[in-house]
Amino acid sequence: MVTTHPDGTRSPLIDASVHIFVKSNKDLRRNFLQEPFRSRGFPDYEMDWYGAPGGEYAKGTEGPDGQYPGSDPDVVAKHLFDDRGVDVAILHPMTRGIMPDRHLGTAIAAAHNEMMVTRWLEHSLHGDRFRGTIRVNPDDITGALREIEKYRDHPRVVQLGVPLQSRELYGKPQFWPLWEAAADAGLPVAVHFEVGSGVMLPPTPNGLTRTYEQFVGFTAMNFLYHLMNMIAEGVFERMPALKFVWADGAADLLTPFMWRMDCFGRPHLEQTPWAPKMPSDYLPDHVYFVEGSLDGPGDVDFAGEWAGFTGKDDMVMYGSSYPHWQLNELSVPSAYTAEQRDKLCWRNAAQLYGIELPAIPAIASAIPAQYVRDSGTVEVTRRPS
């Protein structure tokens, strides 16, 4: 991937959405699950009912012996670091959604965490360029808190991950202990559409769609349902340090929905004393979106102005969704300012996740002086441990 811009500068690049998998179901059962869960039934990764017409994964992303796409650290490192110019990759293990048995769901999440930490974050060659997302089960708060405690001090763990598909909206009080623990650990919470879904409600409030295109187009709305519910329930007022990452798009839908929420919220703030601010005032420093090539108006002359609406340019982070079929190429609209471009490419992610990047000589003119140290690194504040 070329990250050299028309003005001759080159931005660092953080890929904020890299999906990783176990090599196979046999690998998951044999190496990471213990009884009584090893012999239990659970959905395969492919059980999502709305498969992409051309296949779920990009060609060449399988392991050398046909292992599942996105399961071999060496293959992924070559594609991301060598071929696409990525400096740091944020890994997001794909699990199996919400299980009818919450204990089984927690066991599957824990197995994927162990796989990620041992095979990826502690990899002898590439581990220093990977950062990890610990998967937790929001249906089992006790089990989720146990996973946070286990990994919260790992130096390469930078966020928690929960599925977009949920039995309840994430602003509801039953989830608050989980969000409080995340904020206490200094870990953002990433919400991502889950593959291999177990218990799954229809993708729209009014039922099922018929085609994959409708499914993809409508599903992003569910991120905003969660977000707007969290704002209305006062979650960010209650937890000022909490940060949420909507890790599969929807930034392009944010502005009109927040304008509408502000419109209805302005005359009715007395009805929500637990959230006394205007709804849009809760977005800064709390809300982030991973953005791919499918989001936004494209390379048009108003793209920079559009990105500034509702402060979206402070919220977006580039993510490839590797190894999935879309494999988003970085596409920075020409109307973006240098500052907007750097926020998308690396700065928002670096600040959120506390990442220090090696300096690249060609980017010196593109990096504000306060981020450059004498040691030749681009530095931002680390997350609290």
Side-chain angles (χ1 to χ4, degrees):
M1 177 181 296
V2 176
T3 51
T4 301
H5 306 295
D7 61 4
T9 60
R10 179 172 180 261
S11 293
L13 186 61
I14 296 175
D15 188 334
S17 186
V18 175
H19 309 158
I20 64 171
F21 300 81
V22 293
K23 297 176 182 179
S24 64
N25 282 342
K26 182 181 291 186
D27 176 40
L28 176 62
R29 293 183 187 276
R30 177 178 297 173
N31 296 312
F32 300 106
L33 280 175
Q34 305 296 322
E35 293 294 4
F37 305 110
R38 176 180 289 172
S39 57
R40 293 283 300 277
F42 48 79
D44 190 76
Y45 284 131
E46 301 300 328
M47 291 293 291
D48 54 10
W49 307 123
Y50 288 97
E56 292 294 327
Y57 304 104
K59 293 181 179 179
T61 56
E62 302 87 356
D65 297 319
Q67 297 97 332
Y68 210 84
S71 65
D72 187 287
D74 293 318
V75 172
V76 174
K78 180 184 183 302
H79 288 164
L80 294 180
F81 304 143
D82 298 341
D83 299 345
R84 298 171 67 85
V86 171
D87 293 291
V88 175
I90 311 298
L91 307 178
H92 198 112
M94 295 286 101
T95 60
R96 308 300 169 94
I98 299 296
M99 296 291 102
D101 178 351
R102 65 182 183 277
H103 299 297
L104 175 61
T106 295
I108 292 173
H112 282 79
N113 293 339
E114 183 182 352
M115 177 273 296
M116 179 187 67
V117 169
T118 58
R119 288 184 177 170
W120 297 77
L121 301 188
E122 297 173 358
H123 192 282
S124 59
L125 295 179
H126 313 301
D128 61 337
R129 299 178 73 177
F130 291 135
R131 299 294 184 273
T133 303
I134 291 299
R135 298 305 309 270
V136 297
N137 178 12
D139 257 14
D140 177 14
I141 299 299
T142 299
L145 297 181
R146 186 169 61 244
E147 287 297 289
I148 294 173
E149 191 62 29
K150 182 177 180 179
Y151 292 109
R152 61 178 290 164
D153 294 326
H154 193 291
R156 292 174 183 161
V157 168
V158 296
Q159 69 182 358
L160 305 182
V162 297
L164 170 64
Q165 302 96 317
S166 173
R167 300 177 197 259
E168 296 280 354
L169 290 164
Y170 281 145
K172 297 294 184 67
Q174 63 262 40
F175 299 115
W176 291 0
L178 178 54
W179 311 149
E180 288 170 345
D184 180 68
L187 296 171
V189 180
V191 182
H192 196 287
F193 187 80
E194 188 65 284
V195 298
S197 300
V199 178
M200 181 176 175
L201 299 175
T204 82
N206 299 307
L208 299 167
T209 62
R210 185 167 67 90
T211 64
Y212 176 80
E213 293 87 345
Q214 295 175 66
F215 174 71
V216 171
F218 296 158
T219 295
M221 297 282 291
N222 290 286
F223 290 104
L224 298 185
Y225 297 146
H226 281 305
L227 170 61
M228 293 189 291
N229 177 250
M230 294 179 74
I231 292 173
E233 293 282 357
V235 172
F236 297 121
E237 179 73 25
R238 180 185 179 91
M239 307 172 207
L242 181 63
K243 301 178 187 298
F244 255 69
V245 178
W246 309 99
D248 207 18
D252 51 336
L253 302 174
L254 177 67
T255 293
F257 275 85
M258 288 310 303
W259 282 350
R260 183 176 181 85
M261 199 170 179
D262 278 356
C263 178
F264 285 98
R266 188 184 305 274
H268 300 297
L269 289 179
E270 76 283 353
Q271 296 185 8
T272 56
W274 49 83
K277 302 177 185 176
M278 290 291 290
S280 59
D281 289 340
Y282 289 105
L283 296 176
D285 299 321
H286 289 297
V287 176
Y288 299 83
F289 292 87
V290 175
E291 180 174 295
S293 58
L294 300 179
D295 297 333
D299 192 6
V300 294
D301 57 5
F302 59 85
E305 181 182 14
W306 176 88
F309 289 158
T310 334
K312 290 190 294 292
D313 45 9
D314 289 322
M315 304 177 198
V316 295
M317 304 180 290
Y318 164 72
S320 68
S321 292
Y322 181 97
H324 277 90
W325 65 269
Q326 61 268 43
L327 203 54
N328 300 316
E329 295 289 345
L330 175 63
S331 179
V332 181
S334 56
Y336 272 24
T337 66
E339 183 179 15
Q340 288 176 316
R341 180 185 66 202
D342 284 347
K343 287 178 178 180
L344 172 63
C345 290
W346 67 276
R347 192 183 300 168
N348 287 344
Q351 291 176 335
L352 177 64
Y353 297 124
I355 296 173
E356 295 181 3
L357 296 173
I360 302 171
I363 67 171
S365 62
I367 300 176
Q370 65 265 31
Y371 290 103
V372 181
R373 299 173 57 198
D374 293 339
S375 60
T377 63
V378 178
E379 182 182 32
V380 295
T381 303
R382 289 188 177 276
R383 68 172 177 85
S385 60

